[in-house]
Amino acid sequence: MKIFIDSADLDEIQQGYGWGVVDGVTTNPSLLKKAVEKRVGTGERVDLKEYISRILEVADGTPVSLEVTEVTGEKMIEQGKRLHELFNPIAGNVYIKIPVNPAFKEIDATHFDGIRAIRELTASGIPVNCTLIFTPEQAFLAAKAGAKFVSPFAGRIDDDLRKSAGLQFGKEDYYPAEGMEMDARLLEDNGIVSGIELVEQCVKIIEHYGFATEVLAASLRNPRQVRESALVGAHIATLPFGVIKDMLKHHKTYEGMELFTADIVPEYANLK
Ligand code: E4P
């Protein structure tokens, strides 16, 4: 499974690539806002075009997803092409992120605009990461339209299940892959019992039909979800910087380090 960093923070991206375990970057408007505000907060003047170019250079040779902000088919296609034209020459690694459905509510008439944009950008040779996927059938349509990546949002499904049951939870709290029972009823959203099950079903459908699409498990909030994404065969997991770091932590590893360090025979350490 490839690991992408889910961040627009250049310092985090540089550090992640420096560790040699990062295979790509995903950004979204909220992540970009957070990263820019952090820099502006320290008195820096941020030139967004230059800032994004630096991210692309750090990630040279690996995909970087840049999300459109428009919400209709024509405008998303136009913006997607513009972003690709503007930034892809830097390192040839720009993927355009398109929402599977840009409608804000049921009555909007734009439900298929995302699919149309994916198809058109793909036909122009622009790779697409289809975002905001909450059902396997959305992933299926996005793959049919030619998306290179489909991004099921595991954590946000888990949030929604917990919220619907009135449970209190923190953003990073683990939600069981097999789901949770509440009043002798398994919590579910349209038959999906957890974010990891959503990822799993997307993988099954994509692989069953041999689509040239990779499932990018997104909105992961803790290392256990990363493990479970790998176990259900996600091709990629995009992770906040903190989760990448947390993957290495265990109290027995710390304790083992202390014990081994206390036992070092000086002669051994000084062997030349
Ligand atoms: C990735 O492409 C998504 O933008 C991201 O994983 C969303 O994560 P969140 O639900 O923690 O905001």
Side-chain angles (χ1 to χ4, degrees):
M1 183 173 75
K2 284 172 267 188
I3 289 182
F4 286 8
I5 182 165
D6 197 21
S7 174
D9 185 315
L10 189 58
D11 302 324
E12 292 182 351
I13 295 168
Q14 269 165 334
Q15 227 178 304
Y17 273 88
W19 293 333
V21 293
V22 173
D23 307 299
V25 180
T26 51
T27 68
N28 64 37
S30 311
L31 291 171
L32 202 57
K33 178 172 184 259
K34 192 171 147 203
V36 169
E37 281 177 358
K38 186 176 143 195
R39 290 197 165 230
V40 170
T42 65
E44 190 179 322
R45 221 199 105 261
V46 179
D47 174 335
L48 204 52
K49 199 169 157 193
E50 199 226 305
Y51 184 79
I52 293 172
S53 306
R54 285 172 65 197
I55 293 178
L56 297 170
E57 281 162 4
V58 173
D60 194 1
T62 62
V64 176
S65 297
L66 301 178
E67 188 155 344
V68 294
T69 52
E70 297 289 352
V71 294
T72 63
E74 279 323 305
K75 291 227 158 118
M76 286 192 290
I77 292 165
E78 199 185 295
Q79 189 185 21
K81 286 184 176 170
R82 198 168 64 240
L83 284 170
H84 194 263
E85 200 179 300
L86 195 62
F87 290 114
N88 200 53
I90 293 160
N93 53 354
V94 171
Y95 278 53
I96 297 298
K97 221 170 166 189
I98 300 284
V100 69
N101 178 348
F104 283 19
K105 47 189 181 305
E106 191 71 36
I107 51 161
D108 284 0
T110 53
H111 295 297
F112 267 86
D113 282 23
I115 295 300
R116 207 155 62 76
I118 295 168
R119 218 187 39 229
E120 176 133 358
L121 291 172
T122 301
S124 328
I126 297 175
V128 172
N129 173 359
C130 178
T131 191
L132 285 172
I133 288 186
F134 290 93
T135 70
E137 45 276 23
Q138 287 178 325
F140 178 55
L141 286 178
K144 261 182 109 65
K148 285 273 175 244
F149 302 150
V150 287
S151 296
F153 274 39
R156 291 195 195 185
I157 273 282
D158 295 341
D159 293 348
D160 202 45
L161 291 170
R162 281 182 281 218
K163 248 186 230 160
S164 68
L167 295 169
Q168 297 288 320
F169 61 94
K171 192 175 175 190
E172 274 119 47
D173 290 351
Y174 173 70
Y175 189 87
E178 65 280 9
M180 270 174 85
E181 266 193 18
M182 203 52 186
D183 304 325
R185 188 181 66 86
L186 195 58
L187 299 177
E188 49 98 10
D189 177 72
N190 188 29
I192 296 294
V193 302
S194 71
I196 294 299
E197 197 200 24
L198 170 65
V199 173
E200 183 177 21
Q201 293 199 7
C202 292
V203 170
K204 278 193 181 149
I205 291 171
I206 298 300
E207 290 191 344
H208 183 78
Y209 291 102
F211 285 112
T213 302
E214 291 183 286
V215 176
L216 190 164
S219 183
L220 301 178
R221 278 82 182 272
N222 53 63
R224 195 158 162 190
Q225 279 185 317
V226 182
R227 176 201 315 169
E228 288 170 347
S229 297
L231 287 171
V232 300
H235 306 99
I236 308 163
T238 190
L239 310 177
F241 187 57
V243 174
I244 302 179
K245 287 199 280 189
D246 286 348
M247 284 167 74
L248 283 176
K249 296 179 185 170
H250 195 276
H251 65 279
K252 289 298 284 180
T253 306
Y254 305 145
E255 183 194 280
M257 276 309 296
E258 272 193 33
L259 292 172
F260 286 150
T261 305
D263 283 343
I264 294 172
V265 176
E267 226 179 308
Y268 177 82
N270 296 325
L271 279 177
K272 292 218 167 84

